[in-house]
Amino acid sequence: MINEKRNEVRKRRIKNATQIEEGFHASQDGGSIGCCGYILYLVSIICMLATIPFSLCLCTKVLNHYEKVVIFRLGRLRSRQDKKPGIFFINPYLDSFIKVDMRTLIFDVPPQEVLTRDSVTVAVDAVIYYRIQNAIMSVTNVRDVYSSTKLLAAYTLRNVLGTKDLSQLLSEREAISHLMQSLLAEATALWGVQVERVEVKDVRLPCQLQRAMAAEAEATREARAKIIAAEGEHNASRALKEAADIIAKSPAALQLRYLQSLSSVAAEKNSTIIFPLPMNILDGRL
């Protein structure tokens, strides 16, 4: 059941991200740099040809395998197609570019003072794994995608944990992590960010609450130990009663048990053995 819900959330997230990306690309299509832009472009080509080979140092750029580049020409997006890793060329007079790291990034959310639903103040920190899924959206839709994602992660952590009890916070970390991941994924879809994993690392409780919980746990263990000891005494007394009933039916069995006890004592190599003598022997009735 839980896996089905997760799959539904994942499909809905992918569908929303696809729709947002299609709408974004549609809004970026169309238009040109204009007449003045074409004139400047021709002038820049002439300047580049006139300054060869010095202009080649400014035109040639290198793109790493884990990077993508967003190029603007006269303030407009030059192309929506990704550049292949390696060498690429730009017009140094008209173009500006921004490199985007596409690797998975890790962010440690600073400890957040959170008031739970049952009015307990705890300090919780988490770790977020995310990466840039669409380089163009991460550059054009938000000013600083990394800082924005970090602030949103801290804000989401406080909001989610504020709706949970302390017992739920301690026992349902996996469910809380999946909830935070879905909320962050939906919020950052327009930024071209994909949140891959969210983990709640540590939950720090106040010292007084820790002592109270330790005392409660100790009292619970002592009560359980007393119950187990009482059950053992009850079972032992029942077994002794059954043994006494069996021995009472056969007087010779008591003598045999008595001799067996003496044999066990003699095996310990004691120097003195106390031998109880039944009183009925003196009366001559044994």
Side-chain angles (χ1 to χ4, degrees):
M1 188 67 180
I2 297 176
N3 294 330
E4 293 179 358
K5 291 183 179 179
R6 291 176 183 174
N7 293 332
E8 291 178 0
V9 172
R10 189 181 295 108
K11 290 179 181 179
R12 186 172 66 252
R13 190 189 310 159
I14 295 174
K15 182 178 179 181
N16 294 337
T18 303
Q19 292 177 352
I20 293 173
E21 185 175 356
E22 290 176 355
F24 172 80
H25 290 333
S27 63
Q28 296 294 328
D29 291 337
S32 61
I33 59 177
C35 180
C36 294
Y38 286 115
I39 294 175
L40 292 175
Y41 180 73
L42 293 176
V43 173
S44 64
I45 293 297
I46 295 173
C47 294
M48 290 173 57
L49 294 176
T51 56
I52 288 178
F54 300 102
S55 60
L56 293 178
C57 298
L58 299 176
C59 296
T60 306
K61 302 296 178 181
V62 177
L63 185 65
N64 295 321
H65 190 78
Y66 55 84
E67 293 178 331
K68 288 186 179 180
V69 64
V70 181
I71 303 176
F72 296 93
R73 173 163 294 174
L74 295 177
R76 299 181 63 87
L77 189 64
R78 176 178 169 182
S79 175
R80 293 191 290 106
Q81 296 181 356
D82 298 333
K83 295 292 183 180
K84 294 183 179 180
I87 299 176
F88 67 98
F89 299 94
I90 63 171
N91 190 327
Y93 301 101
L94 303 180
D95 295 344
S96 61
F97 68 96
I98 299 175
K99 290 183 179 180
V100 180
D101 194 340
M102 305 300 292
R103 293 175 293 182
T104 299
L105 304 175
I106 304 173
F107 167 61
D108 287 328
V109 181
Q112 303 292 317
E113 294 288 339
V114 180
L115 183 65
T116 60
R117 191 170 58 180
D118 51 353
S119 301
V120 178
T121 302
V122 295
V124 184
D125 55 353
V127 59
I128 311 295
Y129 297 85
Y130 69 99
R131 67 181 182 87
I132 305 298
Q133 186 178 17
N134 190 306
I136 298 176
M137 295 174 68
S138 66
V139 172
T140 58
N141 287 3
V142 61
R143 181 175 182 180
D144 190 348
V145 64
Y146 304 106
S147 299
S148 301
T149 304
K150 294 176 182 179
L151 292 176
L152 182 62
Y155 174 76
T156 305
L157 178 64
R158 290 195 300 268
N159 283 350
V160 171
L161 298 183
T163 61
K164 303 293 182 179
D165 295 334
L166 180 61
S167 58
Q168 296 176 342
L169 180 59
L170 296 176
S171 60
E172 299 179 2
R173 292 192 180 185
E174 185 177 358
I176 293 174
S177 299
H178 286 294
L179 178 59
M180 285 187 57
Q181 181 180 356
S182 61
L183 293 176
L184 287 173
E186 292 178 1
T188 58
L190 190 61
W191 301 346
V193 176
Q194 179 182 359
V195 180
E196 297 181 344
R197 191 177 183 87
V198 178
E199 292 292 341
V200 178
K201 291 200 305 182
D202 190 18
V203 179
R204 290 186 288 275
L205 305 176
C207 296
Q208 296 180 354
L209 183 59
Q210 291 181 11
R211 288 194 292 267
M213 294 178 66
E216 180 184 1
E218 185 178 359
T220 303
R221 287 193 297 269
E222 289 180 357
R224 190 180 298 113
K226 291 180 179 179
I227 292 174
I228 294 173
E231 291 178 353
E233 291 290 339
H234 179 72
N235 295 332
S237 61
R238 181 181 297 175
L240 287 174
K241 180 181 179 299
E242 293 176 357
D245 293 339
I246 295 173
I247 293 175
K249 296 178 181 178
S250 177
L254 181 60
Q255 263 324 91
L256 292 175
R257 181 60 180 167
Y258 177 70
L259 294 175
Q260 184 180 3
S261 300
L262 288 179
S263 176
S264 300
V265 173
E268 297 295 333
K269 297 181 181 180
N270 295 323
S271 59
T272 303
I273 299 176
I274 299 175
F275 185 77
L277 183 65
M279 296 300 294
N280 53 7
I281 292 180
L282 301 177
D283 298 337
R285 291 177 294 180
L286 182 63

